[in-house]
Amino acid sequence: MEYSTEEKLEWIIYFIYEFGKKYDLTMKQAFGYLQRFKAIDFIDKHYGYAHTQSLSTMVDELSQYCRRMGGAL
């Protein structure tokens, strides 16, 4: 299934907000961290799966993903 860029961006922005909220980061800090450890690329590639999960589940899963990629949060 194809998703519009707008759909993806809305979900990703909300995800970044929730990720930042969990780790007490600004939107800019959260985006930088997720970008650095390839989580944004992961979401873009696997959006079909990611957007069907709860945000809290995805925050937890992508936190683990970032740690595997060298992140410390």
Side-chain angles (χ1 to χ4, degrees):
M1 179 174 192
E2 281 296 312
Y3 300 98
S4 73
T5 301
E6 185 177 326
E7 283 179 292
K8 282 180 156 183
L9 284 175
E10 286 177 7
W11 192 91
I12 290 170
I13 289 168
Y14 192 54
F15 171 79
I16 293 168
Y17 170 78
E18 289 296 320
F19 185 90
K21 193 165 82 171
K22 179 173 181 165
Y23 292 103
D24 197 28
L25 303 170
T26 65
M27 287 283 288
K28 183 177 181 177
Q29 290 170 323
F31 175 78
Y33 179 84
L34 293 167
Q35 183 73 16
R36 178 175 180 197
F37 296 108
K38 310 295 185 210
I40 300 296
D41 293 338
F42 180 92
I43 292 171
D44 186 41
K45 185 175 181 181
H46 302 287
Y47 178 76
Y49 165 76
H51 88 281
T52 63
Q53 306 304 303
S54 71
L55 280 169
S56 63
T57 296
M58 288 310 302
V59 166
D60 291 342
E61 286 186 17
L62 287 172
S63 294
Q64 292 174 17
Y65 178 81
C66 287
R67 281 192 289 278
R68 287 192 305 270
M69 300 297 281
L73 293 179

